[in-house]
Structure formats: C-alpha cells, structure tokens
Amino acid sequence: QVQLVESGGGSVQTGGSLRLSCAASGPNYKFTYMAWFRQAPGKEREAVAGILTSFDETYYTDAVKGRFTISYDSAKVTLYLQMNSLKPEDTAIYYCTAGLLDTWPRSWSRPSAWDYRGQGTQVTVSS
C-alpha cells in the first residue's frame, strides 16, 4: 500500500521559514506528479504547489508565489516544500498528494484529482 508521510511542520513567527518533507513508500511509489495542498480551519482544502517530478516543472497558487518552493529528490523519493516569508494566513494543515488521476497541468489544483494523500502536518504562523 502506498504511504505518504509528511514531516517538518511546526510553529513560527511571521517572516519565518519551514521546510516540509513528504516521504513516499510502497508499491509503485515513484510518482510522476506530486503536489502540496493545505486546509485551514473552517476553509476548503486548497492547492499550494504541484510538480512534474521528472522535469521539475512546477506550478504555484498565487498566494505563495515567490515565497514557497516545491522540489523533489528522486534518490530519496521525497517531496519538499520550502516555505519562506511565512504569514499568519499560511497557517493550515499541509498535505502531500500523489497519483494524478486527470490531465497535467490542468487538473493539478483540484483535490479530487489525486489518488493518494498523506496524513498532514500542522503549520502555525503567529503574528
């Protein structure tokens, strides 16, 4: 069974940085497409960043462009999200997803387009 395990979340002040990791394991665990989503209390899950792992083709939601960087280490089979200049509105549970069920890149930002999702890691940014 495929497993995605996130780590690296925590509490920081405004302007701080965090680096999230997502380790994949299980059968057929090397994915062509992966992404990060987040969900804040009382809000719907939203896309943060997506990546075509073999070519490092990346996409970002407007709210994080210039501050977040998604990357993938094929040797470690691990997805990363470097988050800089964090803001209180970045506070959410961050989820790693893999196994795109629809067309790239048109569908990457839809939560329902992904087959696998990790358990999430909490990021809290205080002002």
Side-chain angles (χ1 to χ4, degrees), residues 33 57 59 100-110 113-114:
Y33 309 104
E57 179 181 323
Y59 290 85
L100 187 63
L101 301 171
D102 206 330
T103 305
W104 174 270
R106 182 181 62 190
S107 62
W108 81 268
S109 61
R110 285 194 293 113
W114 298 88

Side-chain angles (χ1 to χ4, degrees), residues 33-38 46-52 57-62 64-65 68-71 79-82 94-97 104 108-109 114:
Y33 309 104
M34 298 186 76
W36 288 98
F37 284 76
R38 66 186 180 185
E46 66 170 348
V48 176
I51 186 168
L52 167 55
E57 179 181 323
T58 58
Y59 290 85
Y60 298 91
T61 192
D62 287 344
V64 308
K65 283 180 181 177
F68 291 11
T69 303
I70 187 172
S71 62
L79 181 72
Y80 299 99
L81 185 68
Q82 177 66 44
Y94 284 70
Y95 298 92
C96 165
T97 61
W104 174 270
W108 81 268
S109 61
W114 298 88

Side-chain angles (χ1 to χ4, degrees), residues 6-64:
E6 302 97 334
S7 61
S11 297
V12 297
Q13 292 188 326
T14 297
S17 298
L18 285 172
R19 188 194 195 202
L20 306 183
S21 299
C22 171
S25 62
N28 300 317
Y29 64 98
K30 294 187 178 182
F31 297 100
T32 302
Y33 309 104
M34 298 186 76
W36 288 98
F37 284 76
R38 66 186 180 185
Q39 188 165 18
K43 295 188 177 181
E44 294 187 354
R45 189 167 300 153
E46 66 170 348
V48 176
I51 186 168
L52 167 55
T53 59
S54 54
F55 293 100
D56 282 339
E57 179 181 323
T58 58
Y59 290 85
Y60 298 91
T61 192
D62 287 344
V64 308

Side-chain angles (χ1 to χ4, degrees), residues 103-125:
T103 305
W104 174 270
R106 182 181 62 190
S107 62
W108 81 268
S109 61
R110 285 194 293 113
S112 61
W114 298 88
D115 202 6
Y116 303 103
R117 188 184 79 215
Q119 83 289 348
T121 186
Q122 177 70 48
V123 171
T124 303
V125 185

